[in-house]
Amino acid sequence: MSKRTLTTESGAPVADNQNSSTAGVGGPLLLQDQHLLEKLARFNRERIPERVVHARGSGAYGYFEVTDDVTGFTSANFLGEVGKRTETFIRFSTVADSLGGADAVRDPRGFALKFYTEEGNYDLVGNNTPVFFIKDPIKFPDFIHSQKRDPFTGKQEPDNVWDFWAHAPEATHQVTWLMGDRGIPASYRHMNGYGSHTYQWTNAQGEAFFVKYHFKTNQGVRSLSAEQAAELVGQDANSHQTDLLQAIERGVNPSWTLYVQVMPGAEAADYRFNPFDLTKVWPHADYPLQRVGRLVLDRNPENVFAEVEQAAFSPNNFVPGIGPSPDKMLQGRLFAYADAHRYRLGVNHTLLPVNAPKATEAVNYGRDGAMALRNGSRHDKNYEPNSYQGPAETGQPLSAPLAIHGYTGTHEAPLHTKDDDFFQAGELYRLMSEDEKGRLVANIAGGLSQVTRDDVIEKNLAHFHAADAEYGKRVEEAVRALRED
């Protein structure tokens, strides 16, 4: 079979792709060599700004299949019938490190899922932990700055990491998760995923429910010790990418079972702690897991840049029957995620194939901007309302309205009867086996003992003491032993 002709960006055939044009044999290059200039100019522009967080990631396509009837809780079409399948794309990621970072590190993992539904794309942006370090988005930039590379040293500094946590007692629960056995998943296939935030479901009758998503891995949870992870990073810094890619290529398609916890909307106000606090879980005894369906990954992207690096997820991409809750972190992310993609990819990033709807069509009055691929015909207007049969609103809200009251201002989160920054961290510690506790303590002490300020160490130790007396005592003794060496 004959090869196709190599061309320039404008479609002209390329005569020589091995040698640049020169002024005579061995002479200087010529500015008129359009092919050379075009290649170098494009090469200089191949990269786009990496994500500030979740920069290092892997992705795959698959489908979500409904296995249980949840129509009593939500009118979302893609969840409306047992057996219904919806195409999906998922992006796994680490959080703090850069695009060139290693996979097998101690860090939360992103679990971002896009459902290509018939009512538009629904994005569920979660993690592999059910909680997070903070509960107000105004602290998010400071938190991330403390975890990423120091402006002077150019590397992650224990002083910065633990200094922030010393001033964020609500982080104790997530720190206990992160420093425990599940802090370094063995692979993306062997970890759970969580919506983490609280979301709202609304049924066909307009009844509102608050929900939390739990994707339980059907491969079983497997994690790495700090020593195993260090060895694996030395062997293959792309270990999780390698594992996911090769598993799907072999036809070993990973899957997760989706469960939800469902809280009737009326119960939220009087629940014993704030149900919209991202640093807390809902006990299963109060709100048991209810099965919804299964997620299966069965196809690798053809091009990592086009389909993984350019994949854009935003938690404000809802569909009818699903909406936000008063979770303050979620509310902040409704703006921040979409804005990040407009910065990185441009205002028309939703037209890229990986981000565009697949089961329906986006019809609106958006026009122009860089890389505008869908500007309409001469007959289409770019304003609304109009007299030319342009698309019109439905008048039907996607979810039930949220009641609000009080005065505007900068308020602390409302306190419920048993709100506490440490109780659930202590419960998590007490659920661990003796071996798990030992590894948790060693992981915390290994980082905290490197902090140079005694007051920062003491503030962090106080958090662990408040969570559980034994927990605090063991961390304190381990830190002291390491600092005396």
Side-chain angles (χ1 to χ4, degrees):
M1 189 173 73
S2 61
K3 291 184 177 181
R4 293 181 297 169
T5 298
L6 177 67
T7 74
T8 64
E9 296 286 342
S10 62
V14 173
D16 191 341
N17 194 42
Q18 316 305 318
N19 304 286
S20 303
S21 295
T22 61
V25 177
L29 299 183
L30 295 175
L31 190 62
Q32 71 185 41
D33 190 342
Q34 186 262 353
H35 181 50
L36 169 65
L37 300 185
E38 186 175 82
K39 281 187 74 172
L40 293 179
R42 169 170 278 278
F43 180 72
N44 286 343
R45 292 161 176 80
E46 282 183 357
R47 297 295 175 262
I48 60 176
E50 70 173 43
R51 291 167 169 87
V52 177
V53 288
H54 298 279
R56 170 67 187 158
S58 302
Y61 291 94
Y63 63 87
F64 179 79
E65 180 178 10
V66 178
T67 58
D68 294 78
D69 183 7
V70 292
T71 54
F73 305 121
T74 178
S75 61
N77 180 272
F78 80 101
L79 298 175
E81 181 182 352
V82 172
K84 186 176 180 64
R85 287 189 177 185
T86 299
E87 185 179 356
T88 62
F89 180 79
I90 194 168
R91 186 176 186 272
F92 303 106
S93 56
T94 53
V95 174
D97 212 343
S98 62
L99 185 59
D103 286 344
V105 294
R106 188 171 299 280
D107 200 10
R109 298 300 190 279
F111 195 98
L113 188 59
K114 187 181 296 291
F115 298 84
Y116 299 103
T117 89
E118 295 154 332
E119 298 177 296
N121 290 351
Y122 171 46
D123 289 353
L124 183 59
V125 182
N127 283 329
N128 72 326
T129 62
V131 293
F132 197 60
F133 299 92
I134 54 176
K135 50 190 173 185
D136 193 305
I138 204 166
K139 300 177 73 170
F140 188 73
D142 300 298
F143 164 62
I144 294 301
H145 288 164
S146 74
Q147 307 299 299
K148 291 183 79 72
R149 297 175 185 271
D150 181 85
F152 171 65
T153 66
K155 61 190 182 72
Q156 191 180 51
E157 292 293 346
D159 275 349
N160 300 350
V161 171
W162 289 96
D163 185 35
F164 183 89
W165 288 342
H167 293 88
E170 70 271 26
T172 308
H173 192 186
Q174 174 73 321
V175 170
T176 303
W177 266 88
L178 179 62
M179 297 298 173
D181 279 1
R182 296 194 182 188
I184 314 178
S187 78
Y188 291 132
R189 296 183 298 126
H190 294 93
M191 68 182 194
N192 293 336
Y194 301 89
S196 302
H197 296 290
T198 301
Y199 293 90
Q200 185 200 72
W201 277 6
T202 308
N203 65 17
Q205 292 73 43
E207 297 174 297
F209 301 87
F210 293 115
V211 300
K212 282 186 176 289
Y213 295 89
H214 301 249
F215 289 85
K216 300 290 188 178
T217 174
N218 295 324
Q219 291 70 239
V221 172
R222 285 178 48 202
S223 303
L224 302 172
S225 68
E227 294 75 21
Q228 290 171 323
E231 182 178 354
L232 183 57
V233 167
Q235 295 171 348
D236 180 7
N238 305 302
S239 57
H240 289 29
Q241 164 70 8
T242 301
D243 175 85
L244 181 66
L245 176 74
Q246 292 182 351
I248 295 175
E249 288 295 290
R250 295 195 312 269
V252 181
N253 298 329
S255 66
W256 288 257
T257 300
L258 171 61
Y259 299 87
V260 292
Q261 291 177 282
V262 181
M263 174 187 291
E267 295 182 11
D270 297 322
Y271 192 54
R272 64 181 185 273
F273 59 82
N274 182 358
F276 310 116
D277 181 348
L278 185 56
T279 68
K280 294 182 174 63
V281 298
W282 297 355
H284 291 184
D286 293 349
Y287 299 101
L289 296 180
Q290 302 188 48
R291 193 176 66 176
V292 179
R294 67 185 185 119
L295 170 69
V296 179
L297 304 182
D298 60 5
R299 179 164 63 92
N300 283 310
E302 293 295 316
N303 184 282
V304 172
F305 178 81
E307 299 166 87
V308 180
E309 185 64 12
Q310 292 194 129
F313 300 84
S314 177
N316 63 6
N317 287 341
F318 292 114
V319 292
I322 303 177
S325 78
D327 179 337
K328 293 179 76 172
M329 282 295 294
L330 172 60
Q331 293 283 328
R333 284 172 168 159
L334 297 181
F335 163 76
Y337 275 61
D339 186 60
H341 301 312
R342 293 184 191 106
Y343 158 68
R344 295 181 60 246
L345 303 169
V347 71
N348 287 307
H349 68 273
T350 54
L351 305 182
L352 295 170
V354 71
N355 299 322
K358 296 183 183 296
T360 186
E361 180 186 4
V363 182
N364 55 52
Y365 294 92
R367 298 290 188 272
D368 304 337
M371 301 300 178
L373 302 175
R374 189 193 66 217
N375 262 9
S377 73
R378 69 175 70 182
H379 305 294
D380 294 319
K381 303 303 178 183
N382 63 345
Y383 59 89
E384 197 279 335
N386 62 62
S387 304
Y388 296 87
Q389 304 303 311
E393 64 201 30
T394 67
Q396 300 295 319
L398 300 187
S399 57
L402 296 171
I404 59 173
H405 60 86
Y407 298 93
T408 61
T410 54
H411 305 289
E412 292 186 7
L415 289 177
H416 291 228
T417 54
K418 293 191 176 179
D419 270 329
D420 177 273
D421 288 329
F422 308 109
F423 178 73
Q424 290 199 350
E427 283 191 320
L428 179 59
Y429 173 80
R430 290 186 287 274
L431 284 174
M432 295 180 181
S433 68
E434 183 55 37
D435 286 345
E436 289 175 316
K437 290 177 180 177
R439 290 189 290 270
L440 168 67
V441 169
N443 290 334
I444 292 173
L448 190 53
S449 63
Q450 298 178 55
V451 174
T452 59
R453 291 183 55 132
D454 291 342
D455 60 327
V456 171
I457 293 175
E458 292 303 320
K459 285 179 180 177
N460 279 284
L461 291 175
H463 296 168
F464 300 121
H465 279 290
D468 181 274
E470 178 194 279
Y471 186 11
K473 182 173 182 290
R474 292 179 65 169
V475 172
E476 184 173 1
E477 290 174 348
V479 169
R480 184 186 306 118
L482 288 173
R483 297 191 82 201
E484 289 174 352
D485 284 349

